[in-house]
Structure formats: structure tokens, C-alpha cells
């Protein structure tokens, strides 16, 4: 991994708007933990909250905000060409960029959601929340890193993907659900607590492997795009 590119991408991600969004969603997550603790069935409420908010909203939206900007911002302001012209392998640029996105998004999202799960008092869901959100962040980070490089209006395209595919079309049937990222981390939460959730019916093996495969696929596509495309 190229540490210089890693630092460049980290700096490109930091903005007041993104940090405020991160703080706002973190506050909502912690609040949900207290609400779950006061619920009649803390385990069920916490499972639904960690699944609906954590893997459906918090992880994808923060991964989109930072992932799409990782290389997208450098491409938009024409500074990516200076990185691209360096004599480094294209996979090194892609790997450093994904590492930068993941190292910012994962610690925050995973830590906040895990604390929220702990506050709820539902012991069975704590470890599952940490694992599920980490896998969701990795999958979405790889996906939106590639999207940010491929599309100029990547933030709008990503929002459309989350709203239309992940939150709507995935509900139309099992085939569509299998192509939805969120169904896999949600299945981990459901398996851990026994609480049923819509779409959370993936196998245990698939729940772990598919999010990793999606993140890696995004990394591979980013590498391919950097190799095949002339950056100016």
C-alpha cells in the first residue's frame, strides 16, 4: 500500500459537512441504544435498530459520503493526474484509497453502533453488531470507491442506488434481495439473536463471504479503471 496516496486520500475526505453528518448519525445511533434499553423487549428492538439503522442507513451513507469522494474529489479538481502519473502500480492507488476510506468509516461506525448495542442491554447483539457493521462498511466502501471514480455525480448516483435498489427493489423478491448488500449483515444480526427481519435470511457462510467479495470487487474494478482509463 502506498502511504503517500493514503495520506492524500485521507485529507481529501475531511470536510465540515461530512464530519457533521457523521456526528449527527452517531447521535441518532446512541439515542436508539437508550430507546432499546427502555423497550419491553430490548433484544428485539436493538436487533431491528442495528439492522434498520446501522446497516441500512449509517454504514452505507457514511461510506458513500467518504468513499465517493476518495478518488472522485481528486478526479474532479484535477489533482488525481499527479497521483496517476507517479510510477506506482494502479492497484497500489486503489488499495491505498480503499484503506483510507475504511480506516475513517469503520472505526467510527463500528464503535458507535457497538456502543449503542451495549447501551441497549441486549448482550447477544453486541459482537454481532460489531461484525455486521464492519462487513457492511467494507462492502459499501469498495462499492462507492469505484462509483466515485466512475461517475461525475457519484453522490447522487450513490443516493439513488441506496434509496432505489437497497431500500425498495430489494424487497420485491429473493433474487433481488440476494443482490442487496444489506441483507447479509442483517442476517448476521438475526442469527445472533433469533429476531426475524425482512431480507435477513441469508446463509451464515454467505453473510460473511458476500460483503467481503463485494468490497474486493469494488477494489478490482477501481484498479481496472485506473489502468484502462486516461486520467487528465
Amino acid at each position: 500500500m502506498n502511504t503517500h496516496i493514503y495520506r492524500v486520500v485521507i485529507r481529501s475526505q475531511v470536510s465540515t459537512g461530512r464530519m457533521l453528518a457523521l456526528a449527527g448519525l452517531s447521535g441518532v445511533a446512541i439515542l436508539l441504544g437508550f430507546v432499546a434499553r427502555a423497550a419491553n423487549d430490548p433484544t428485539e428492538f436493538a436487533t431491528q435498530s442495528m439492522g434498520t439503522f446501522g446497516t441500512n442507513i449509517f454504514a452505507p451513507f457514511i461510506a458513500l459520503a467518504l468513499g465517493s469522494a476518495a478518488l472522485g474529489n481528486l478526479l474532479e479538481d484535477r489533482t488525481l493526474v499527479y497521483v496517476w502519473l507517479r510510477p506506482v502500480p494502479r492497484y497500489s492507488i486503489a488499495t491505498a484509497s480503499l484503506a483510507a476510506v475504511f480506516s475513517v468509516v469503520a472505526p467510527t461506525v463500528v464503535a458507535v453502533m457497538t456502543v449503542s448495542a451495549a447501551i441497549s442491554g441486549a448482550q447477544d447483539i453486541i459482537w454481532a453488531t460489531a461484525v455486521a457493521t464492519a462487513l457492511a462498511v467494507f462492502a459499501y466502501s469498495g462499492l462507492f470507491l469505484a462509483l466515485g471514480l466512475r461517475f461525475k455525480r457519484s453522490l447522487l448516483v450513490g443516493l439513488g442506488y441506496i434509496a432505489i435498489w437497497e431500500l425498495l427493489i430489494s424487497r420485491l423478491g429473493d433474487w433481488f434481495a440476494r443482490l442487496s448488500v444489506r441483507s447479509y449483515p442483517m442476517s448476521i444480526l438475526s442469527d445472533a439473536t433469533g429476531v426475524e427481519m425482512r431480507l435477513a435470511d441469508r446463509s451464515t457462510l454467505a453473510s460473511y463471504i458476500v460483503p467481503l467479495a463485494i468490497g474486493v470487487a469494488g477494489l478490482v474494478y477501481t484498479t481496472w479503471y485506473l489502468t484502462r482509463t486516461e486520467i487528465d
Side-chain angles (χ1 to χ4, degrees), residues 33-199:
F34 285 107
V35 174
R37 190 178 188 88
N40 292 331
D41 188 340
T43 298
E44 180 173 2
F45 191 96
T47 303
Q48 296 286 352
S49 297
M50 300 306 113
T52 303
F53 180 78
T55 64
N56 292 2
I57 297 175
F58 198 9
F61 278 99
I62 296 301
L64 171 62
L66 277 72
S68 63
L71 291 174
N73 279 3
L74 299 181
L75 182 62
E76 184 177 344
D77 62 19
R78 298 182 181 277
T79 56
L80 181 58
V81 65
Y82 300 110
V83 175
W84 188 81
L85 289 174
R86 284 173 169 267
V88 295
R90 298 299 175 250
Y91 72 82
S92 181
I93 298 175
T95 303
S97 300
L98 179 59
V101 175
F102 189 76
S103 65
V104 173
V105 180
T108 305
V109 174
V110 174
V112 170
M113 293 310 302
T114 303
V115 168
S116 177
I119 291 173
S120 74
Q123 299 298 317
D124 291 342
I125 202 176
I126 297 176
W127 70 267
T129 297
V131 173
T133 51
L135 288 172
V137 165
F138 182 75
Y140 284 119
S141 294
L143 180 63
F144 294 136
L145 175 68
L147 183 145
L149 187 61
R150 178 63 181 80
F151 296 99
K152 287 186 177 181
R153 298 184 180 275
S154 56
L155 189 59
L156 291 177
V157 174
L159 288 173
Y161 165 79
I162 294 172
I164 297 172
W165 186 270
E166 289 285 340
L167 300 181
L168 293 177
I169 294 179
S170 63
R171 295 174 174 269
L172 297 180
D174 186 65
W175 186 86
F176 295 102
R178 289 180 184 277
L179 297 177
S180 168
V181 175
R182 69 189 182 118
S183 68
Y184 297 94
M186 286 176 66
S187 296
I188 294 174
L189 295 169
S190 181
D191 287 344
T193 61
V195 175
E196 293 185 2
M197 290 186 289
R198 189 171 184 178
L199 306 183

